[in-house]
């Protein structure tokens, strides 16, 4: 018995060692370095020790990743590195960069909208970048969106802002005032007039923000940076804009639709206009469409939120210079940006690409004009406490859900009340940390 | 000697397992993850001692389950409990070591050093040492050995070397040096990124952008890092302002009166729990939310159970033809992913364009009432949530009740018939109590599940309609877990894991208590009916 057990022990040990050895050797073959031989005649010194090819990991949401992935081949070829573009769920890039980065599992580079800049910079998970000569080619709104605490935290490559789609079979363009919009709808006789997300039970502060800040209202005062202590959701101008929105809802200009409902209504020709962003062009193409600016408020141009998309460098990347080079030498070049645009059309944040796009694509130019009127979404962490309250307040107005609440005893009888409430909630949330 | 096949398989599997565990050891050491190493050690020891000796026979079946229980239930719960006592939130997500590494990693440039961009050439001599040639301008062609910051004190500064340029402004490299191409620079970038060309005491040049398509470029930085940290005294120096920073009490450094981001996470005792109790923003809506959470979980289970029960009992009748077809149809809602069903229902119930209101339109007209404004009023939203959850939940109940019905001996029913009981009496007096004996643990499980049914609420109503006038953005259909999510993840100043962990710990104990009471009750049922 003892003898037998001894034998089993031996077998076990051998097996374990063989397996460990197998694991090791298979890895060796994978990591076999590709030695770059320099031409012999210029070789004064042996070029390098033989390091394995460097690998860069890039996280991006699906559409962006699909556009980027075929392009990186050129860089891999030229630079002798592996670039792995990982399709990442849009909603979890920020959360996972915050958790995976410190755990040593994060990407070297990732693409995200700029509204996370404050949070990731505060947490120290992204590295600042000196864009150097490229900076002058980028629109100010892009740089502003990516600036935090005096540093630029990424390369902004695309902007986006909402504008107004119109059904070009039924109307010639988007009128410049809301009164004319109403008249156009009456003339066309569609079931709905303007389908804008943010109603119909689905709160959405982003799509509704032109109704807040076009005529002097603001979320956070912008003065070289967003000031979270100055909330302007309930200043006189914001209240007046909200009341104006209320009147537009009451006279049927703006329908109580959430995103899905506004989309199907436009696609089925049941609404004349659709207020949303350039990402929806594929969806809008169900009908013949054009794009125009969102009508003005009391003479002031509508100011939507401008989202800026850019590429960040993780602070936990062990290849910072390589990551910087990938951006500055490759990703930021006009050729790559143009190829990205062809696959995933977002308004360019660089002037050089914009010049190309503008002449080729008048619809993109309309979105760009809308973005030019807009302001970047505040990129400070406090923005997290804005979406809920503002979305709720706009929802009350959009769905006309006025009245006295039995549970809290608070009465919201008007659009102004709703805005005051939202402003209070935002201030409390920021004060409460 | 005779060996059983099962024995060989066992030892082979054990060998594979051990090999994997051995494989983790060097990895864990290289990541300095001593906790993982400890766990791996314990698990390996347990598994080997269980399967190599015959003394611990019963453990052979229990050990794997026990390990999974530890890894996937006890550990996450314990970790969550630990997090609830920390200030793990935006600005404090790193450990102190990581924060110091991050801070020490930061470079800075003074006003006059900033914004200068120039071509940088990387060279190597026969000893494989690197040299940088920075082409700042015509009179400033700086050349020198590229060194790490440790060597700053004992190496000469860079020299102006006009000889590296010929009359046509082309770079000429001496025979003794080899000029690295962009590709070669990239291959060595892990080394190159730590090297600098020291210009003078305060200034250095770093390689910043390796170009494979053009010339690489460099930037000028201060020779000091932005912060330097002294291990022995635990003091951080801010080299931009030349001040020593003090330790703040929230887990951060304070330089010149301002706290430096990022900070690190520290334990803060019961602070998070204190906040839940003291903070008006929590306390205010908590009552409404908690009440609805219980109602929601209770009615979800009851409705789904009775619909499932009704269908199961009906289809259990042998007179029903096509039993299997019906049963398959009723399983369908269970087979469709919840995500899809929920979003489909969201569309169906849309008050303006949804099919549900279209179908109900004749009824509205007949009764001359306003159409239901789904999702916009408290009652309709709650009704919608329960309706959809019943649809999602009844097939499960239908399945388990069907199964349980098969296990009830028919003699009991027949005996009751002989005794003169009506079918209704025999169902409520015999079948139903017997069913409850086997099913009540599952009902308790379903209750606990629905208590935390974040997906449904988040996708269907997003918590709405808003509870107007609350101190914080909260809706009528928000349950505790979605309310917590709003506060801890998407509210305030970024994410607040510590606070969220505190609330989930409280929810955990709530569910624990409810389950314990329910199990005790169901045991009583078992005692009464289990002997039949």
């Amino acid at each position: 018995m003892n003898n037998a057990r001894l034998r089993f022990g031996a077998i076990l040990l051998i097996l374990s060692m063989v397996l460990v050895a197998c694991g090791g050797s298979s890895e060796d073959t994978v990591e076999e370095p590709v030695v770059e031989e320099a031409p012999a005649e210029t070789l004064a010194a042996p070029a390098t020790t033989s390091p394995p090819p460097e690998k860069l990991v890039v996280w991006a949401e699906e559409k962006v990743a699909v556009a980027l992935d075929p392009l990186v081949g050129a860089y891999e070829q030229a630079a002798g590195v592996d670039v792995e573009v990982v399709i990442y769920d849009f909603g979890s890039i920020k959360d996972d960069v915050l958790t995976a980065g410190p755990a040593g599992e994060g990407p070297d580079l990732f693409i995200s909208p700029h509204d996370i800049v404050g949070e990731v910079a505060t947490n120290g998970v992204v590295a600042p970048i000196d864009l150097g000569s490229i900076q002058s080619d980028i629109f100010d709104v892009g740089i502003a969106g990516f600036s935090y605490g005096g540093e630029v935290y990424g390369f902004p490559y695309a902007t986006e802002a909402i504008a107004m789609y119109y059904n070009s079979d039924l109307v010639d363009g988007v009128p410049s005032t809301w009164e004319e919009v109403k008249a156009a709808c009456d003339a066309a006789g569609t079931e709905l007039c303007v389908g804008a997300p943010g109603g119909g039970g689905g709160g959405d502060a982003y799509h509704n923000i032109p109704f807040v800040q076009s005529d002097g209202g603001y979320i956070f005062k912008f003065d070289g940076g967003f000031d979270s202590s100055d909330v302007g959701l309930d200043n006189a101008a914001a209240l007046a804009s909200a009341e104006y929105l209320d009147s537009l809802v009451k006279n049927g200009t703006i329908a109580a639709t959430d995103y899905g409902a506004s989309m199907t209504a436009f696609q089925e020709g049941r609404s004349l206009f659709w207020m949303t962003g350039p990402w929806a062009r594929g969806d809008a193409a169900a009908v013949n469409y054009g794009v125009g600016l969102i009508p003005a408020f009391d003479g002031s141009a509508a100011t939507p939120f401008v989202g800026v998309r850019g590429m960040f460098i993780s602070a936990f990347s062990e290849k910072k210079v390589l990551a910087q080079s990938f951006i500055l030498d490759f990703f930021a070049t006009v050729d790559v940006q143009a190829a990205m645009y062809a696959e995933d059309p977002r308004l360019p944040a660089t002037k050089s690409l914009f010049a190309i796009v503008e002449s080729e694509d008048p619809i993109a130019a309309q979105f760009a004009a809308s973005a030019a009127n807009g302001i970047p979404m505040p990129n400070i962490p406090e923005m997290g406490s804005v979406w809920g309250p503002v979305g709720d307040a706009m929802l009350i107005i959009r769905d006309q859900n006025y009245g006295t609440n039995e549970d809290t005893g608070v009465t919201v009888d008007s659009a102004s009340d709703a805005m005051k409430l939202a402003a209070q909630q935002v201030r409390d949330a920021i004060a409460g940390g | 000697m005779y060996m059983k096949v099962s024995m060989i398989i066992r030892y082979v599997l054990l060998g594979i397992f051990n090999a994997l565990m051995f494989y983790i050891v060097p990895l864990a050491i290289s990541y300095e993850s001593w906790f993982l190493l400890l766990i791996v050690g314990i698990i390996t020891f347990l598994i080997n001692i269980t399967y190599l000796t015959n003394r611990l026979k019963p453990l052979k079946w229990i050990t794997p389950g026990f390990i999974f229980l530890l890894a996937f239930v006890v550990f996450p719960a314990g970790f969550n409990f630990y997090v609830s006592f920390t200030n793990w939130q935006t600005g404090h997500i790193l450990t102190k070591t990581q924060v110091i590494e991050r801070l020490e990693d930061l470079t800075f440039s003074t006003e006059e050093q900033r914004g200068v961009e120039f071509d940088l050439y990387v060279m190597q001599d026969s000893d494989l040492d690197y040299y940088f040639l920075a082409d700042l301008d015509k009179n400033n062609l700086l050349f020198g050995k590229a060194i790490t910051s440790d060597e700053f004190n004992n190496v000469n500064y860079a020299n102006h070397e006009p000889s590296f340029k010929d009359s046509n402004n082309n770079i000429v490299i001496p025979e003794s040096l080899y000029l690295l191409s962009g590709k070669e620079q990239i291959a060595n970038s892990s080394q190159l990124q730590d090297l600098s060309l020291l210009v003078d005491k305060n200034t250095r040049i770093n390689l910043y952008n390796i170009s494979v398509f053009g010339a690489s470029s460099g930037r000028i930085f201060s020779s000091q890092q932005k912060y330097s940290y002294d291990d022995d005294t635990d003091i951080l120096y801010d080299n931009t302002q030349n001040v020593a920073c003090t330790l703040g009490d929230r887990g951060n450094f304070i330089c010149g009166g301002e706290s430096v981001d990022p900070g690190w996470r520290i334990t803060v005792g019961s602070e998070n729990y204190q906040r839940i109790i003291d903070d008006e923003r929590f306390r205010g809506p908590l009552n409404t939310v908690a009440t609805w959470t219980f109602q929601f979980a209770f009615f979800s289970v009851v409705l789904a159970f009775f619909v499932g029960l009704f269908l199961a009992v009906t289809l259990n009748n042998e007179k029903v033809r096509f039993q299997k077809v019906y049963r398959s149809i009723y399983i369908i809602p269970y087979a469709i992913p919840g995500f899809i069903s929920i979003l489909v229902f969201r569309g169906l119930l849309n008050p303006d364009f949804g099919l549900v209101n279209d179908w109900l339109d004749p009824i509205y007209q007949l009764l001359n009432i306003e159409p239901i404004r789904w999702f916009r009023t408290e009652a309709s939203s709650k009704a919608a949530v329960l309706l959809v959850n019943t649809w999602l939940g009844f097939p499960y109940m239908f399945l388990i009740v069907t199964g349980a019905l098969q296990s009830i001996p028919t003699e009991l029913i027949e005996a009751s018939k002989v005794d003169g009981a009506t079918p209704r009496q025999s169902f409520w007096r015999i079948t139903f109590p017997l069913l409850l004996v086997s099913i009540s643990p599952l009902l308790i499980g379903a209750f606990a599940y629905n208590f935390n049914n974040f997906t449904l609420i988040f996708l269907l109503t997003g918590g709405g309609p808003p509870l107007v006038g609350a101190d914080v953005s909260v809706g009528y259909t928000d349950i505790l877990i979605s309310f917590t999510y709003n506060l801890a993840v998407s509210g305030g100043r970024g994410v607040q894991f510590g606070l969220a962990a505190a609330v989930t710990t409280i929810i955990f104990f709530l569910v624990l208590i409810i389950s314990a009471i329910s199990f005790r009750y169901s045991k009583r049922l078992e005692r009464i009916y289990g002997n039949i």
Side-chain angles (χ1 to χ4, degrees):
Chain A
M1 187 67 204
N2 247 343
N3 208 349
R5 194 171 291 165
L6 208 70
R7 191 184 302 175
F8 287 147
I11 293 171
L12 214 63
L13 199 69
I14 291 163
L15 248 174
S16 312
M17 289 171 109
V18 165
L19 276 162
V20 171
C22 284
S25 70
S26 71
E27 203 160 84
D28 284 350
T29 47
V30 172
E31 287 185 2
E32 186 94 29
V34 184
V35 183
E36 290 304 332
E37 294 264 345
E41 57 271 23
T42 59
L43 194 66
T48 58
T49 51
S50 49
E54 298 280 2
K55 186 175 170 191
L56 281 177
V57 178
V58 186
W59 284 1
E61 64 184 280
E62 191 187 347
K63 279 184 181 172
V64 180
V66 167
L68 180 62
D69 197 39
L71 304 178
V72 299
Y75 189 74
E76 286 178 322
Q77 193 82 44
V81 293
D82 264 350
V83 181
E84 188 189 346
V85 181
V86 181
I87 296 181
Y88 221 83
D89 174 40
F90 173 62
S92 37
I93 287 185
K94 182 193 80 180
D95 294 344
D96 288 4
V97 163
L98 286 176
T99 48
E105 302 284 328
D108 297 295
L109 298 150
F110 62 96
I111 292 175
S112 166
H114 79 279
D115 54 330
I116 69 164
V117 167
E119 190 176 340
V120 288
T122 304
N123 281 323
V125 300
V126 288
I129 183 170
D130 179 355
L131 292 169
S133 55
I134 297 174
Q135 184 151 342
S136 57
D137 190 38
I138 301 168
F139 289 114
D140 289 344
V141 70
I143 296 294
F146 271 78
S147 300
Y148 185 80
E151 302 275 5
V152 179
Y153 281 93
F155 165 69
Y157 80 95
T159 60
E160 63 188 14
I162 58 170
M164 194 106 118
Y165 288 86
Y166 61 91
N167 186 324
S168 56
D169 290 336
L170 304 172
V171 68
D172 291 334
V174 182
S176 57
T177 69
W178 287 97
E179 286 76 19
E180 289 161 14
V181 166
K182 172 73 177 149
C185 291
D186 290 344
T190 47
E191 181 188 336
L192 301 173
C193 186
V194 179
D204 182 339
Y206 175 78
H207 277 91
N208 277 317
I209 215 70
F211 301 123
V212 176
Q213 64 184 19
S214 291
D215 196 20
Y218 52 86
I219 289 179
F220 298 124
K221 185 83 181 167
F222 186 83
D223 185 17
F226 290 95
D227 178 5
S228 67
S229 64
D230 187 349
V231 175
L233 286 168
D234 55 353
N235 66 15
L239 296 184
S241 298
E243 291 294 349
Y244 187 57
L245 169 64
D246 184 60
S247 72
L248 292 176
V249 173
K250 284 204 167 81
N251 73 16
T253 311
I254 294 172
T257 47
D258 63 7
Y259 190 86
S262 67
M263 179 171 80
T264 42
F266 188 75
Q267 287 173 328
E268 291 165 8
R270 290 188 287 113
S271 75
L272 200 53
F273 300 103
W274 184 21
M275 220 172 108
T276 191
W279 57 82
R281 285 174 70 173
D283 295 323
V287 294
N288 294 320
Y289 73 94
V291 173
L293 294 182
I294 298 169
F297 291 79
D298 198 20
S300 323
T303 54
F305 264 156
V306 181
V308 188
R309 225 162 264 255
M311 193 178 259
F312 294 81
I313 299 174
S314 165
F316 295 93
S317 169
E318 282 169 2
K319 300 146 215 162
K320 292 227 178 63
V321 169
L322 183 53
Q324 287 156 9
S325 307
F326 180 77
I327 291 179
L328 298 173
D329 191 36
F330 174 72
F331 187 69
T333 54
V334 179
D335 293 346
V336 175
Q337 287 302 313
M340 285 282 291
Y341 181 84
E343 195 61 40
D344 180 33
R346 296 172 193 278
L347 306 179
T350 53
K351 292 166 192 164
S352 47
L353 179 61
F354 180 73
I356 302 170
V357 169
E358 198 179 22
S359 58
E360 283 177 1
D361 188 347
I363 286 181
Q366 285 296 317
F367 280 113
S370 183
N373 292 334
I375 57 166
M377 236 183 288
N379 64 13
I380 52 178
E382 284 82 356
M383 197 56 197
S385 49
V386 170
W387 298 115
V390 174
D392 286 351
M394 301 313 280
L395 191 60
I396 292 173
I397 304 172
R398 293 284 304 276
D399 289 354
Q400 297 285 297
N401 247 339
Y402 299 123
T404 302
N405 188 287
E406 289 159 19
D407 295 289
T408 57
V410 171
T411 305
V412 173
D413 274 338
S414 65
S416 306
D417 289 353
M419 294 310 292
K420 285 175 189 160
L421 200 64
Q424 199 50 49
Q425 284 179 338
V426 171
R427 288 189 188 111
D428 287 349
I430 291 168
Chain B
M1 191 181 171
Y2 177 71
M3 234 196 289
K4 276 195 232 155
V5 177
S6 67
M7 231 179 215
I8 298 172
I9 293 174
R10 197 205 311 170
Y11 286 122
V12 168
L13 287 179
L14 198 57
I16 294 172
F17 175 81
N18 280 344
L20 285 174
M21 286 297 149
F22 278 126
Y23 183 65
I24 293 176
V25 170
L27 282 180
I29 292 173
S30 70
Y31 281 107
E32 298 186 6
S33 181
W34 310 122
F35 182 73
L36 179 70
L37 200 63
L38 183 75
I39 298 289
V40 166
I42 292 172
I43 289 176
T44 315
F45 178 73
L46 262 180
I47 291 276
N48 278 297
I49 208 167
T50 309
Y51 292 102
L52 278 178
T53 64
N54 287 324
R55 251 164 270 157
L56 303 164
K57 221 161 202 173
L59 274 184
K60 282 180 186 172
W61 287 272
I62 296 172
T63 309
F66 183 64
I67 287 169
F68 283 120
L69 181 78
L70 276 182
F72 297 112
V73 179
V74 177
F75 176 69
F79 189 68
N80 183 65
F81 193 61
Y82 156 71
V83 171
S84 73
F85 291 102
T86 67
N87 67 341
W88 201 324
Q89 63 188 57
T90 293
H92 295 273
I93 65 165
L94 305 178
T95 62
K96 190 175 178 184
T97 327
Q98 285 172 325
V99 166
I100 291 165
E101 268 175 37
R102 285 283 73 71
L103 293 176
E104 284 190 312
D105 212 25
L106 294 176
T107 54
F108 77 103
S109 312
T110 56
E111 225 27 79
E112 62 266 25
Q113 291 167 343
R114 201 165 288 187
V116 190
E117 192 182 356
F118 46 86
D119 289 350
L120 189 81
Y121 301 89
V122 181
M123 284 161 251
Q124 230 175 1
D125 67 7
S126 53
D127 295 332
L128 296 182
D129 285 332
Y130 291 102
Y131 293 85
F132 284 168
L133 175 66
D135 184 9
L136 270 93
D137 58 58
K138 208 168 182 180
N139 301 318
N140 236 347
L141 200 60
L142 293 177
F143 175 78
K145 195 169 173 218
I147 48 176
T148 61
S149 53
D150 304 334
E151 304 167 291
F152 277 4
N153 290 330
N154 39 28
V155 173
N156 295 332
Y157 299 136
N159 296 319
H160 174 50
E161 292 280 359
S163 64
F164 279 71
K165 236 176 199 178
D166 66 13
S167 52
N168 297 328
N169 243 355
N170 291 325
I171 298 292
V172 184
I173 306 296
E175 281 288 304
S176 60
L177 292 172
Y178 170 65
L179 182 67
L180 271 74
S181 70
K183 201 170 182 174
E184 287 159 349
Q185 290 171 33
I186 279 177
N188 294 291
S189 61
S190 341
Q191 278 170 284
L192 290 172
Q193 66 184 357
D194 295 329
L195 300 179
S196 317
L197 178 63
L198 203 58
V199 178
D200 58 44
K201 189 165 156 285
N202 298 318
T203 318
R204 68 176 151 174
I205 284 170
N206 276 14
L207 179 62
Y208 201 80
N209 168 21
I210 301 173
S211 176
V212 289
F213 302 112
S216 297
S217 69
R219 299 281 197 283
I220 300 181
F221 297 99
S222 171
S223 63
Q224 282 182 306
Q225 297 293 92
K226 192 168 179 187
Y227 298 99
S228 40
Y229 176 72
D230 188 339
D231 246 339
D232 303 325
T233 53
D234 200 16
I235 291 177
L236 186 81
Y237 295 95
D238 181 342
N239 295 323
T240 54
Q241 308 176 46
N242 262 327
V243 289
C245 305
T246 52
L247 274 178
D249 59 352
R250 300 287 308 169
N252 47 0
F253 290 111
I254 297 177
C255 298
E258 277 194 35
S259 73
V260 177
D261 281 332
W264 59 93
R265 50 183 193 257
I266 53 167
T267 50
V268 291
S270 61
E271 192 185 278
N272 291 316
Y273 294 94
Q274 208 70 43
R275 251 186 86 183
I276 297 166
I277 298 165
D278 293 342
D279 194 334
E280 196 52 45
R281 293 171 56 230
F282 274 96
R283 268 210 334 245
L286 198 62
N287 212 351
T288 330
V289 174
T291 315
W292 164 242
T293 309
F294 280 102
Q295 288 171 343
F296 164 72
F298 180 76
F299 285 114
S300 292
V301 174
V302 169
L303 284 172
F305 174 64
F306 278 103
V307 173
L309 178 71
F310 175 76
L311 290 171
V313 172
T314 315
L315 290 180
N316 210 37
N317 193 323
E318 276 146 28
K319 286 177 200 151
V320 177
R321 297 173 69 194
F322 310 121
Q323 261 184 347
K324 280 185 182 164
V325 177
Y326 285 127
R327 279 189 182 147
S328 313
I329 289 174
Y330 285 125
I331 298 301
I332 287 177
Y334 199 41
I336 301 171
F339 266 90
I340 295 174
S341 318
I342 294 168
L343 292 175
V344 166
F345 265 100
R346 200 188 150 91
L348 289 178
L349 287 168
N350 185 297
D352 297 319
F353 329 102
L355 271 181
V356 172
N357 267 7
D358 277 1
W359 288 335
L360 292 180
D361 199 42
I363 301 176
Y364 295 144
Q365 286 183 1
L366 195 71
L367 301 175
N368 198 17
I369 49 170
E370 283 282 302
I372 300 173
R373 299 164 70 216
W374 295 106
F375 300 131
R376 300 194 194 163
T377 59
E378 181 189 352
S380 71
S381 292
K382 288 184 171 175
V385 166
L386 288 175
L387 190 83
V388 175
N389 209 19
T390 306
W391 156 270
L392 289 172
F394 88 84
Y396 172 69
M397 297 294 178
F398 169 72
L399 268 182
I400 56 171
V401 171
T402 305
L405 279 177
Q406 318 293 329
S407 69
I408 294 173
T410 43
E411 299 91 63
L412 289 174
I413 314 290
E414 276 158 22
S416 72
K417 219 184 261 173
V418 172
D419 284 349
T422 62
R424 185 173 299 175
Q425 276 174 326
S426 68
F427 175 77
W428 287 113
R429 298 281 173 84
I430 296 173
T431 315
F432 187 67
L434 282 175
L435 267 181
L436 276 191
V437 171
S438 51
I439 283 176
S440 53
L442 297 169
L443 294 183
I444 296 160
F447 180 88
Y449 171 79
N450 280 311
F451 202 85
N452 287 324
N453 197 342
F454 178 79
T455 321
L456 175 77
I457 301 297
F458 187 74
L459 289 180
L460 190 64
T461 63
L467 174 55
V468 175
D471 297 318
V472 58
S473 173
V474 60
Y476 277 110
T477 53
D478 262 322
I479 54 176
L480 280 171
I481 194 80
S482 63
F483 173 58
T484 310
Y485 174 83
N486 285 342
L487 277 178
V489 178
S490 66
R493 188 174 180 264
V495 290
Q496 307 190 31
F497 295 122
L499 188 65
V503 183
T504 41
T505 305
I506 292 173
I507 293 177
F508 170 71
F509 281 111
L510 270 180
V511 174
L512 198 71
I513 292 165
I514 296 163
S515 306
I517 294 170
S518 316
F519 273 117
R520 176 160 291 192
Y521 175 74
S522 70
K523 238 183 216 149
R524 219 174 63 205
L525 275 183
E526 234 166 285
R527 269 205 300 280
I528 297 169
Y529 297 101
N531 301 326
I532 298 178

